[in-house]
Amino acid sequence: MTAKKSLVVLCMLITINTGLTVTGQNPFIRDQFTADPSARVFNGRMYVFPSHDIKAPEGKNLRKDWFCMEDYHVFSSNNLVDWVDHGMILSQYDAPWIDSTTYSMWAPDCVERNGKYYFYFPSNKRPDENGRRGFAIGVAVADKPEGPYVAQPEPISGVNGIDPNVFIDKDGQAYLYWSGRNIFVAKLKENMLELDSEPMIIPNLPDKGLKEGPWVFERNGIYYLTFPHVENNVERLEYAIGDNPMGPFKMTDVIMDESPTGCWTNHHSIVEYQNQWYLFYHHNDYSPNFDKNRSVRIDSLFFNTDGTIQKVIPTLRGVGLSEAYQNIEIDRYNLLSEKGVAIEFLDSLNTFKGWKSIFNDKNAWLQYRSVDFGNKNAKSVTINAKSEQGATLLIRLNNADGPIIATVKIPKGNDLKPINAKLKNPRKGINNLVIQLQNTNSVEVDWVRFN
Ligand code: FUB
């Protein structure tokens, strides 16, 4: 093969390796488990650096009931709806200090300084001469957010712990935060690779209950130290505020309550993008029976006028507009009627296939907001559905008594099938939709698309 042909093949392989997932819905990465999302805006684009949960491989002497993380991927988007997987950027085999029998590449972070990208990650060290083990924090450096990253041969000296987070203040001083029972802070040198002050435990935070996953940001002169904390039985997201990156911070409030279904961890980041603030966090959507296989989510976050943070209520709908002409997974709804709609996996043996909405009561409805029909005049709708006895679905605008824009008769059948119906009038612009069952016969809906 000529050098030119090899290059073409290499480019094709790289392209194949870079997946595009289309969703502004939660969870927003849909083909692998992801957790601990550190979101960063680089060059006007949103990048997310999550952990990568996997199922513990056989024959490695690993606990089946614990976190198992071998490497990291990075994802990016310019609209928070279309996400690109740039592939694997670092693995536990890439730094000599990591004990690669431990699969412990936990929550990372990444920052940019002077055109270089510094990726901070925790992992278990190889045992030292005295057999001592424990978590350390390494750094890998790249010229582009998506890598390639080159790991430093040694972890950061003087840091024992997990969940690194780096904040660079307006005066250019960088700070490293991390956790290990307490939350610690130290200044970083200009080279971003070494501490420039002794690690300090951040005081005045709750004494009882695990604290981890610090994320610090500044807005209008207020420094926010945000972190997951176990106040009751599982983690919830809390914050403290101060007027200096090293504190003191004053405990202020809760950003997100505990998972109602009991996912033990939560881990987040908070970032502004195109004049809107967002909370990135995780939940075990694709693995309801094992909360160490998690999935990253986004929701909008708002501040009160005094700078306090409004509590974020997790949604399935997530953020952004859904394109009317692509399959809309309506199971990621905004609102449901009180009874008569259930959401279930399409295939409980392969949860990554996603969910379906089951309507089984007269007038039961589901609301799905922010569908973008653009300037085209949509003329028909397709619903991928099945109903054993046959059923009729109404598509309305805005709410359960809003105007009907289509009536879709789902014929009797045992398999999901795309069914077409005409819209009463052509549609454009951004619309909030309601899908409603007209009769009592049960119907399962996979997706809805306009044409
Ligand atoms: O992902 C492994 C650990 O779980 C993280 O380091 C913690 O913050 C928790 O999310």
Side-chain angles (χ1 to χ4, degrees):
M1 205 187 285
T2 63
K4 198 172 162 196
K5 268 193 183 159
S6 316
L7 187 66
V8 171
V9 172
L10 183 67
C11 289
M12 281 167 65
L13 286 173
I14 290 170
T15 314
I16 290 163
N17 191 29
T18 302
L20 179 72
T21 52
V22 181
T23 168
Q25 307 161 326
N26 286 325
F28 65 93
I29 303 299
R30 302 202 146 177
D31 58 354
Q32 58 198 284
F33 298 117
T34 48
D36 310 324
S38 284
R40 295 289 184 186
V41 179
F42 296 136
N43 312 314
R45 194 171 169 87
M46 183 70 83
Y47 286 82
V48 176
F49 297 84
S51 311
H52 183 193
D53 290 338
I54 56 173
K55 292 192 187 303
E58 295 297 333
K60 301 278 182 186
N61 202 21
L62 292 163
R63 282 172 61 179
K64 292 280 182 205
D65 61 346
W66 195 235
F67 303 104
C68 185
M69 293 131 108
E70 188 176 25
D71 60 25
Y72 300 100
H73 285 222
V74 60
F75 302 84
S76 76
S77 172
N78 62 6
N79 58 7
L80 309 185
V81 173
D82 305 317
W83 287 94
V84 175
D85 178 357
H86 297 281
M88 200 255 281
I89 55 166
L90 193 86
S91 89
Q92 61 175 355
Y93 312 105
D94 291 337
W97 60 268
I98 297 173
D99 179 351
S100 62
T101 64
T102 60
Y103 288 69
S104 54
M105 305 294 271
W106 286 16
D109 191 12
C110 186
V111 291
E112 184 270 340
R113 178 164 212 138
N114 299 328
K116 294 268 183 215
Y117 295 84
Y118 296 87
F119 181 74
Y120 297 82
F121 59 95
S123 195
N124 271 298
K125 287 181 285 196
R126 288 175 190 276
D128 68 13
E129 60 277 10
N130 301 313
R132 275 192 302 250
R133 298 165 180 273
F135 270 95
I137 291 175
V139 193
V141 187
D143 293 325
K144 289 186 294 177
E146 55 269 36
Y149 283 88
V150 177
Q152 297 294 299
E154 295 293 334
I156 303 176
S157 176
V159 179
N160 300 307
I162 59 168
D163 295 353
N165 164 240
V166 173
F167 169 71
I168 305 179
D169 204 1
K170 287 173 289 204
D171 62 3
Q173 177 64 57
Y175 300 84
L176 175 69
Y177 303 81
W178 68 97
S179 57
R181 294 189 184 278
N182 288 293
I183 294 181
F184 297 82
V185 59
K187 288 183 180 173
L188 278 172
K189 287 189 180 165
E190 178 75 23
N191 67 11
M192 302 298 278
L193 305 173
E194 295 169 277
L195 297 191
D196 204 14
S197 71
E198 283 300 313
M200 182 188 102
I201 293 176
I202 297 182
N204 310 326
L205 303 181
D207 286 331
K208 278 200 207 135
L210 183 72
K211 303 179 283 292
E212 53 181 0
W215 179 268
V216 172
F217 66 96
E218 182 268 345
R219 179 181 177 271
N220 297 338
I222 300 177
Y223 293 83
Y224 295 80
L225 167 63
T226 67
F227 56 94
H229 169 230
V230 183
E231 170 70 21
N232 301 305
N233 48 351
V234 303
E235 290 183 339
R236 67 183 193 186
L237 304 179
E238 301 180 3
Y239 73 105
I241 58 174
D243 57 11
N244 187 294
M246 296 188 85
F249 294 97
K250 184 174 176 308
M251 277 310 290
T252 306
D253 215 334
V254 174
I255 303 171
M256 177 174 277
D257 285 329
E258 292 93 343
S259 149
T261 56
C263 182
W264 202 90
T265 64
N266 199 350
H267 186 121
H268 68 298
S269 54
I270 293 175
V271 63
E272 187 181 20
Y273 186 58
Q274 298 175 347
N275 301 318
Q276 173 63 52
W277 286 83
Y278 294 98
L279 176 74
F280 288 72
Y281 61 102
H282 71 222
H283 187 63
N284 56 331
D285 295 86
Y286 285 120
S287 174
N289 300 320
F290 180 50
D291 67 357
K292 310 292 181 291
N293 281 175
R294 300 154 295 177
S295 295
V296 292
R297 291 176 163 207
I298 330 175
D299 273 304
S300 300
L301 176 141
F302 299 92
F303 291 88
N304 296 310
T305 45
D306 63 359
T308 51
I309 298 174
Q310 294 180 10
K311 199 183 262 187
V312 179
I313 308 298
T315 75
L316 296 176
R317 176 63 187 84
V319 300
L321 298 173
S322 293
E323 229 235 82
Y325 309 103
Q326 296 196 8
N327 297 354
I328 304 167
E329 309 290 344
I330 58 165
D331 45 75
R332 307 295 87 193
Y333 60 87
N334 290 90
L335 289 174
L336 287 184
S337 54
E338 258 176 42
K339 58 186 180 94
V341 190
I343 307 297
E344 289 180 10
F345 285 116
L346 281 166
D347 177 354
S348 57
L349 298 178
N350 180 2
T351 57
F352 287 117
K353 286 189 180 163
W355 294 265
K356 59 187 174 188
S357 315
I358 304 170
F359 297 77
N360 51 27
D361 206 0
K362 188 169 163 60
N363 295 332
W365 55 268
L366 167 161
Q367 186 203 49
Y368 189 98
R369 290 190 204 136
S370 304
V371 177
D372 188 6
F373 289 74
N375 287 326
K376 294 186 220 162
N377 275 315
K379 299 207 170 50
S380 67
V381 61
T382 306
I383 302 190
N384 197 34
K386 75 167 179 187
S387 171
E388 274 178 23
Q389 288 152 327
T392 301
L393 288 170
L394 304 174
I395 304 189
R396 296 178 181 267
L397 289 183
N398 301 324
N399 46 52
D401 48 17
I404 296 171
I405 63 166
T407 302
V408 189
K409 293 201 181 310
I410 313 295
K412 279 185 190 182
N414 293 323
D415 298 311
L416 285 167
K417 262 202 323 219
I419 312 293
N420 291 309
K422 280 213 164 122
L423 297 189
K424 281 195 170 171
N425 296 300
R427 284 231 79 72
K428 43 174 149 175
I430 294 168
N431 293 268
N432 298 329
L433 304 178
V434 166
I435 321 301
Q436 187 176 37
L437 181 63
Q438 197 182 36
N439 47 6
T440 48
N441 292 349
S442 167
V443 56
E444 297 189 5
V445 177
D446 182 9
W447 48 257
V448 173
R449 189 179 63 217
F450 293 85
N451 317 288

